[in-house]
Amino acid sequence: MANLPKRGLMTALALFLVDQIIKWAVTGPMGLRALGDAREVLPIFDLRFVPNYGISLGLLTADSNISRWALVAMTGAIALAVGFWMTRERNPVDQVALGCVLGGALGNIIDRVRFGYVVDFADLHFYVDIPGVYVGIVRPFLVFNVADAAITIGVLVLLARALLVRDRPAPVEKSNA
């Protein structure tokens, strides 16, 4: 028990709970339950209900029960692999990053099991009006949720650390021979 990745597990649990509580608030008390239902929070941010039947960027859309459960199985296998990796990881930053990925994956898996889709609600957008060239609404991201953000942040941290950070090797003891 002493070797459990406590930081990673606590991160995963916290993100899972925050994700599920916000999804409940958006679809429950706030009443955003139908495609397109929205509530403006800030001029650049709306809460907007969007059922996501696929994975990132609308890939692998689960348009049947078989594909729905295949996505559950695939993301469940990934979550298990991330959980296993987390138990082997000794670097606390990587443990937290893996906790982000695990917590987000579990939040989206629960949605897909319960509803058949993932509840997306965060809509960041900007109105761009360039004189002479009207652009309109620009969305730098698709509508997303806390779980998606956690997965993205966790993966980016892992990639950045893998590509840019070199852990120092353990010091070599000098012998007095």
Side-chain angles (χ1 to χ4, degrees):
M1 284 276 195
N3 291 333
L4 279 179
K6 293 179 184 92
R7 287 181 185 99
L9 291 173
M10 292 306 292
T11 300
L13 178 62
L15 286 167
F16 171 78
L17 291 173
V18 167
D19 175 67
Q20 291 298 297
I21 289 168
I22 293 174
K23 287 173 180 173
W24 167 81
V26 167
T27 60
M30 295 182 87
L32 305 178
R33 295 183 191 99
L35 180 61
D37 284 355
R39 181 166 299 160
E40 183 178 302
V41 177
L42 296 170
I44 62 166
F45 184 77
D46 295 342
L47 295 176
R48 177 178 310 280
F49 178 82
V50 176
N52 182 351
Y53 291 92
I55 59 171
S56 295
L57 305 173
L59 301 172
L60 297 177
T61 300
D63 52 6
S64 70
N65 245 359
I66 292 171
S67 56
R68 168 191 176 186
W69 292 109
L71 275 179
V72 169
M74 181 180 73
T75 53
I78 292 168
L80 283 172
V82 168
F84 179 74
W85 179 4
M86 190 189 318
T87 65
R88 314 288 267 169
E89 184 59 58
R90 294 296 161 237
N91 184 293
V93 174
D94 289 349
Q95 286 180 5
V96 170
L98 290 165
C100 289
V101 175
L102 181 60
L106 293 175
N108 284 344
I109 289 168
I110 291 297
D111 282 10
R112 198 168 306 282
V113 168
R114 289 178 60 207
F115 309 121
Y117 55 84
V118 172
V119 175
D120 286 341
F121 60 83
D123 181 14
L124 179 66
H125 55 276
F126 302 95
Y127 295 97
V128 178
D129 188 5
I130 301 170
V133 181
Y134 175 73
V135 177
I137 299 174
V138 175
R139 287 185 166 83
F141 310 105
L142 297 174
V143 178
F144 61 98
N145 60 43
V146 172
D148 297 336
I151 293 167
T152 301
I153 290 167
V155 168
L156 288 175
V157 168
L158 291 168
L159 283 173
R161 286 192 39 77
L163 297 173
L164 304 174
V165 177
R166 298 286 179 240
D167 291 328
R168 292 185 191 140
V172 177
E173 292 184 31
K174 295 179 183 179
S175 67
N176 292 337

